[in-house]
Amino acid sequence: MHHRTSRRTLLTATAATAVAAVTGTGLAPGAVAAQRSPSSGQHHAAATTKRLRRIISGMTLEEKVGQLFVMRVYGHSATDPDQADIDANLAEIGVRTAAEMIGKYHVGGIIYFAWAHNTRDPHQIADLSNGIQRAGLAGPTPLPLLVSTDQEHGIVCRVGEPATLMPGAMALGAGGSRSDARRAGQIAGAELAAIGINQNYAPDADVNVNPANPVIGVRSFGSDPQSVAGLVAAQVKGYQSSNIASTAKHFPGHGDTSTDSHTGLPVITHTREQWAELDKPPFRAAIAAGIDSIMTAHIVVPALDPAGDPATLSHPILTGILRQELGYDGVVVTDALGMEGVRTKYGDDRVPVLALKAGVDQLLNPPSLDVSWNAVLEAVKGGEISEARIDESILRILRLKAKLGLFDHPFVSHSGVDRTVGTRSHLAAADRIAERTTTLLANDGAVLPLSRRSHRNLLVVGADPASPSGTTGPPTTTLATAFGELGFTATALSTGTAPAKAKIDEAVAAAQGKDAVVVATYNVSATSSQRTLVSALAATGIPVITVAIRNPYDVAQLAGTGFAANLATYSWTDVELRAAARVIAGRAEPRGTLPVPVQRADDPARVLHPVGYGLRY
């Protein structure tokens, strides 16, 4: 451990010395992160800018172009990944390791994914982050990296247990507490910072006004622009109080779409006035809260730019509206450049160039780094983009790195991980916050709360979607275990999202002799056999409690099936499911209220449950 500490101290000192040599000052730019009195703020910012400009003036064009990219890389280690990950890196990037990629392309950032095997456990992630920073500081111009991930919590999560998993956005919307949203961000941010992740692509600032939205849904705080704005601002303050960059997404607003921008190019038909009323408030609130970065959306909004280009490539939207109208001068990062929405109209060599011309700073995860990197390099060499233009973006990126203290303290420690990640107090806070989000939408005959005296013997059936982080669930087992800990006898039977007749018959047989059945439902549609399952179980006469573990709209689709009670959890991670079990068992009050309206299934023009609806005991 002493060796580790001395090595880290040495590396940090080396980094500071190297950067000081570049800047020609006795201070690393990270020194700018120290607290100063407000009166010295402007002078301090000017001094920082001067130092950073000096760094930029010493960079080669290749180094400058690299700073604009944030790239995926396979492996749990920056220098010694598994052979399968080396093979994947060679196939997709033409390098063996993260360190080689940083050395060759001088990338300014790396994004972590679970599927890229970056996020096994907190100590491993910390070591990976340190290896990435060492590689950045070994370059001709020693620069730390922004390490990013999509840790929205709820249904989008890359770092799992033993890290603390918080309720996601729509659950926090149901809780309606800005202090809970801020606390969730602060805890989540502290744990990310401890493992060396310093830029989080959260919170989602989209206003989900379309129940059929296939890509946002419960990732949004809700359908009311002012409520969403308040919760977005709270989360931004929470994350950034833990010294990580927060990212509001997806500008100019992805909440009213029926197309998934991963697979197509959505068109948002809002008028300019509707956009200002519905989509703009959360982004304006994020900017007022001091947001460090904003992510673009691969969506067409004809009222904001009639050219038909996705917002990611739109100068009127990114420079005209975001920079000039909203006055935002922080970092703008694209959504992933491998998504179909941004590739529909232009080739992979044109997309990054057009994004920079539109006003973007960071180019996220292009399909081919080599193609995109060389395209930008050639665009600058050929005069299509001026070097002064990319210097503007690099200054914003380096300012953010300086603000986060990365020039001074780029490394993290195992002791810091142990002090911060998944601590008892963090886990307890997550449980308390989740309890305040669980929403009771139906309770016929006051079957809930269940009494252990009259309803001790339970069957838990339903959908078992894969864990967002790969570390929790499956939901039916998690619920059954939670009921067992609350003094019930509970059996789990996974029936899936589309149970066949044989599986439904098995569930009905398993229900015999039980006092109640809990069914975890997942995005029920009019034709879903999940409806048949609920009907068949209800026909036995045993009380059926349905728990919507993703979209809260299930309650409308299940009308007429005979269920006795319905709850919404907005996500299927363990923290939400345990809270639902406590509510069902009467150990906690249902306190959540709907942050979106639920329309009737038989007449979508009519509302079944309005925003703010939620039953109590």
Side-chain angles (χ1 to χ4, degrees):
M1 199 60 207
H2 289 299
H3 171 72
R4 181 183 295 278
T5 306
S6 63
R7 170 119 175 93
R8 188 175 308 109
T9 307
L10 174 68
L11 284 160
T12 309
T14 304
T17 306
V19 175
V22 174
T23 59
T25 69
L27 281 173
V32 307
Q35 292 296 313
R36 303 281 182 119
S37 66
S39 60
S40 66
Q42 284 182 323
H43 170 74
H44 182 53
T48 301
T49 298
K50 191 175 176 183
R51 272 196 284 269
L52 296 178
R53 284 195 193 280
R54 203 171 296 154
I55 291 177
I56 294 167
S57 69
M59 292 167 70
T60 65
L61 183 56
E62 288 77 9
E63 286 178 309
K64 289 181 178 183
V65 169
Q67 276 301 297
L68 304 171
F69 284 92
V70 181
M71 188 61 183
R72 69 190 176 280
V73 68
Y74 292 86
H76 71 285
S77 161
T79 53
D80 190 26
D82 294 341
Q83 187 61 47
D85 292 322
I86 291 174
D87 295 343
N89 285 329
L90 285 169
E92 290 187 26
I93 314 169
V95 297
R96 293 162 47 84
T97 67
E100 282 183 22
M101 180 174 73
I102 294 163
K104 181 176 180 181
Y105 291 103
H106 317 290
V107 294
I110 300 254
I111 179 172
Y112 287 171
F113 292 103
W115 51 258
H117 311 134
N118 305 140
T119 57
R120 286 183 186 172
D121 67 76
H123 283 175
Q124 166 268 319
I125 300 170
D127 291 340
L128 173 61
S129 300
N130 285 342
I132 284 167
Q133 297 297 0
R134 274 194 289 274
L137 296 172
T141 305
L143 291 172
L145 279 85
L146 286 168
V147 178
S148 62
T149 201
D150 292 285
Q151 190 80 347
E152 296 175 19
H153 292 267
I155 71 165
V156 175
C157 229
R158 312 300 188 210
V159 180
E161 292 181 345
T164 306
L165 294 176
M166 286 287 169
M170 193 171 283
L172 291 170
S177 165
R178 293 181 185 183
S179 63
D180 278 355
R182 183 170 183 156
R183 177 76 175 133
Q186 184 261 320
I187 289 171
E191 296 199 6
L192 290 176
I195 57 177
I197 295 173
N198 42 52
Q199 184 177 23
N200 189 18
Y201 298 139
D204 191 302
D206 300 312
V207 180
N208 200 71
V209 292
N210 186 343
N213 194 322
V215 64
I216 305 301
V218 294
R219 296 169 61 192
S220 160
F221 289 103
S223 62
D224 176 71
Q226 299 312 318
S227 299
V228 172
L231 292 165
V232 164
Q235 283 244 285
V236 169
K237 289 173 183 170
Y239 280 122
Q240 295 188 179
S241 72
S242 290
N243 202 39
I244 67 162
S246 177
T247 310
K249 62 188 188 186
H250 308 82
F251 190 82
H254 209 317
D256 189 6
T257 169
S258 52
T259 303
D260 184 342
S261 50
H262 291 84
T263 55
L265 180 57
V267 177
I268 309 281
T269 56
H270 291 181
T271 64
R272 178 76 195 225
E273 293 69 32
Q274 286 173 319
W275 174 80
E277 185 187 337
L278 287 171
D279 303 293
K280 180 180 175 181
F283 291 101
R284 194 174 51 208
I287 293 166
I291 189 82
D292 282 327
S293 45
I294 290 178
M295 180 179 284
T296 68
H298 304 326
I299 55 172
V300 172
V301 190
L304 304 185
D305 180 1
D309 287 332
T312 298
L313 310 181
S314 167
H315 190 273
I317 291 175
L318 297 187
T319 297
I321 296 175
L322 182 56
R323 294 279 190 219
Q324 293 166 1
E325 189 179 309
L326 293 177
Y328 177 65
D329 192 38
V331 169
V332 174
V333 56
T334 69
D335 205 343
L337 295 182
M339 291 166 60
E340 204 53 46
V342 80
R343 302 172 79 187
T344 300
K345 216 173 151 182
Y346 302 100
D348 291 339
D349 58 334
R350 292 303 296 156
V351 166
V353 174
L354 295 171
L356 290 168
K357 290 173 79 169
V360 156
D361 302 305
Q362 287 186 304
L363 300 160
L364 177 62
N365 204 22
S368 166
L369 178 58
D370 195 65
V371 166
S372 296
W373 189 88
N374 278 298
V376 174
L377 188 66
E378 291 310 312
V380 179
K381 283 181 176 176
E384 185 181 0
I385 301 175
S386 70
E387 194 163 348
R389 163 66 192 88
I390 65 168
D391 285 354
E392 281 175 34
S393 286
I394 295 159
L395 180 60
R396 287 192 191 100
I397 293 164
L398 295 188
R399 262 192 195 136
L400 180 52
K401 292 178 180 184
K403 180 193 172 189
L404 297 173
L406 293 174
F407 286 97
D408 253 358
H409 303 291
F411 299 104
V412 292
S413 68
H414 283 207
S415 59
V417 171
D418 294 338
R419 269 198 312 274
T420 311
V421 177
T423 61
R424 189 175 296 162
S425 66
H426 284 182
L427 295 170
D431 280 333
R432 286 194 301 272
I433 292 170
E435 254 174 29
R436 295 191 275 269
T437 69
T438 307
T439 309
L440 180 63
L441 297 176
N443 191 17
D444 298 344
V447 66
L448 298 183
L450 290 183
S451 159
R452 280 180 300 169
R453 285 188 292 280
S454 57
H455 294 85
R456 176 181 289 273
N457 201 2
L458 306 180
L459 173 67
V460 180
V461 303
D464 277 333
S467 164
S469 62
T471 61
T472 65
T476 54
T477 304
T478 299
L479 283 166
T481 302
F483 285 123
E485 289 168 357
L486 294 165
F488 294 82
T489 303
T491 309
L493 172 65
S494 180
T495 51
T497 53
K501 184 177 186 305
K503 186 57 76 173
I504 292 171
D505 291 345
E506 185 185 346
V508 169
Q512 298 310 310
K514 298 292 191 287
D515 300 316
V517 183
V518 177
V519 185
T521 67
Y522 183 92
N523 292 6
V524 180
S525 68
T527 57
S528 171
S529 58
Q530 292 180 72
R531 294 186 80 254
T532 317
L533 172 70
V534 173
S535 293
L537 288 166
T540 65
I542 301 164
V544 174
I545 298 134
T546 55
V547 182
I549 61 174
R550 185 167 176 167
N551 288 338
Y553 312 115
D554 289 5
V555 66
Q557 296 292 351
L558 294 170
T561 57
F563 66 81
N566 174 277
L567 300 96
T569 66
Y570 311 97
S571 168
W572 60 96
T573 43
D574 291 4
V575 68
E576 308 272 19
L577 299 173
R578 286 196 306 265
R582 289 195 297 279
V583 169
I584 289 168
R587 300 295 181 86
E589 288 284 324
R591 296 195 208 168
T593 61
L594 282 173
V596 290
V598 173
Q599 274 92 1
R600 288 177 54 143
D602 59 350
D603 184 1
R606 294 171 63 195
V607 171
L608 175 66
H609 297 310
V611 169
Y613 180 85
L615 302 177
R616 298 286 182 268
Y617 291 154

